[in-house]
């Protein structure tokens, strides 16, 4: 199976955004906002890297691709929710952040499922 180009592009944009938010958090954000941006950026970056790995995993199949999309979209939603809380003073976005969190957790669970499915049967 060939790499998922769309997932790679999406993950690349996520990674770039995570770096930009991290830089802003380190150099231009108020202390209260810095924590939110740093946390969101870290989660977004980890899940962007996961998405790249899953997009390139030849033996992962559909489950791995779905895991990559869930993880990277979840990271984006989580990060944007935290950024909106901090930068735009929208505390209602605190209700949106867990949606991204659930998507990231689901992505990791699908990584497990894809790994178990792709593993050779040793029985």
């Amino acid at each position: 199976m060939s790499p998922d180009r769309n997932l790679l592009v999406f993950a690349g944009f996520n990674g770039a955004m995570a770096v930009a938010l991290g830089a802003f958090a380190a150099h231009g954000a108020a202390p209260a906002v810095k924590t939110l941006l740093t946390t969101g950026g870290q989660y977004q970056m980890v899940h962007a890297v996961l998405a790249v790995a899953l997009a390139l995993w030849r033996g992962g199949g559909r489950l791995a691709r779905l895991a990559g999309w869930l993880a990277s979209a979840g990271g984006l939603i989580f990060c944007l929710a935290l950024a909106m809380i901090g930068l735009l003073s929208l505390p209602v976005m605190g209700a949106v952040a867990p949606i991204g969190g659930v998507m990231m957790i689901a992505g990791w669970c699908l990584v497990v499922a894809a790994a178990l499915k792709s593993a050779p049967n040793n029985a």
Side-chain angles (χ1 to χ4, degrees):
M1 186 178 268
S2 63
D4 186 333
R5 181 176 182 223
N6 292 331
L7 182 53
L8 288 170
V9 169
F10 189 70
F13 281 124
N14 266 344
M17 182 181 160
V19 171
L21 282 175
F24 178 70
H27 302 291
V33 176
K34 181 177 183 171
T35 301
L36 290 169
L37 294 179
T38 300
T39 300
Q42 288 173 340
Y43 276 83
Q44 186 178 20
M45 180 59 78
V46 166
H47 290 86
V49 172
L50 174 62
V52 168
L54 293 170
L56 298 174
W57 182 16
R58 292 188 183 270
R62 283 185 31 219
L63 284 178
R65 300 290 162 61
L66 180 57
W69 281 106
L70 277 171
S72 59
L76 177 63
I77 291 168
F78 180 77
C79 182
L80 287 175
L82 294 185
M84 288 180 183
I85 292 168
L87 296 172
L88 302 176
S89 298
L90 291 174
V92 70
M93 295 306 289
V96 174
I99 295 169
V102 168
M103 291 172 71
M104 291 184 286
I105 293 167
W108 283 106
C109 290
L110 285 179
V111 169
V112 173
L116 291 172
K117 186 175 179 183
S118 70
N121 188 357
N122 293 329

